[in-house]
Amino acid sequence: MRHYETTYILRPNLGEAVLTEIVDRTNAIIADFKGTLITEERIGMRRLAYAIKKEVQGYYVYINFAAPGEAVAEIERIFRIDDRVLRYLTIKLGDSIDAEGIEAERERIVATAAARAARDAAEAEEEAKSRGRRRDTPVGRSDDKADSQTEDGDDGDDADEAEGEE
């Protein structure tokens, strides 16, 4: 079996039941060809970079799977005929993958997701801390005189110098 990932974009006005039906049908095609679904991620609604079939938003779905090439051909055939699918892209990640490789890929995805969640939590915490500070006062300075001076000690007021030159 080969290792693939597919990202597809569905029309935004589909109901939850229709979205689930399309995702389940796609996953069933993989299973019908004796493939293995490694991970499925429903990314959700996103704004498109440009209008596709008069839509400016789309519902993104990502799947990572191992299957024979015929499964990919069938998935893409169904996507071409289904008007509810705006765009799709399948990328071959590897020529062959076995059960151990599938398990290693699942572990890698879980570790990546955990690292992403930790990073997002740290960024959210930092953002919450920065909201507590006044935005007009730089960190480490508290007096107005220090804020108005440049590094060379000049107060930045060039009007005094201009008056003396005239």
Side-chain angles (χ1 to χ4, degrees):
M1 279 194 265
R2 293 184 175 156
H3 186 198
Y4 297 98
E5 68 179 10
T6 299
T7 302
Y8 52 101
I9 307 171
L10 304 172
R11 289 191 180 271
N13 55 357
L14 303 175
E16 186 64 33
V18 176
L19 290 170
T20 302
E21 181 258 321
I22 294 171
V23 171
D24 289 346
R25 181 189 62 205
T26 304
N27 296 345
I29 292 171
I30 295 168
D32 290 345
F33 282 89
K34 307 285 189 260
T36 303
L37 183 68
I38 297 172
T39 185
E40 170 196 313
E41 184 178 352
R42 295 182 185 202
I43 298 169
M45 201 69 68
R46 296 277 189 255
R47 182 165 174 77
L48 302 173
Y50 54 90
I52 302 173
K53 298 179 184 176
K54 300 183 181 179
E55 298 286 355
V56 293
Q57 286 190 325
Y59 189 88
Y60 283 70
V61 179
Y62 168 83
I63 56 174
N64 188 323
F65 61 99
E70 296 83 27
V72 174
E74 179 65 13
I75 289 170
E76 291 184 351
R77 185 186 74 79
I78 296 295
F79 284 168
R80 274 192 298 278
I81 345 180
D82 194 345
D83 192 40
R84 301 171 296 184
V85 178
L86 297 175
R87 285 282 192 276
Y88 60 90
L89 177 67
T90 300
I91 298 172
K92 181 172 74 169
L93 299 175
D95 282 329
S96 69
I97 189 168
D98 55 1
E100 294 161 1
I102 290 171
E103 202 53 45
E105 182 68 13
R106 283 187 178 138
E107 291 172 6
R108 185 193 65 79
I109 290 170
V110 167
T112 303
R116 183 181 308 134
R119 185 192 68 223
D120 291 347
E123 288 175 1
E125 184 178 326
E126 183 63 32
E127 179 66 24
K129 285 180 182 179
S130 69
R131 286 184 186 155
R133 281 192 239 136
R134 285 184 43 205
R135 296 204 189 280
D136 58 337
T137 304
V139 177
R141 292 191 177 178
S142 60
D143 61 332
D144 293 333
K145 184 72 174 165
D147 287 339
S148 66
Q149 288 186 349
T150 59
E151 287 181 10
D152 61 357
D154 185 16
D155 64 347
D157 190 7
D158 293 334
D160 297 347
E161 293 173 17
E163 287 175 11
E165 291 175 7
E166 290 179 11

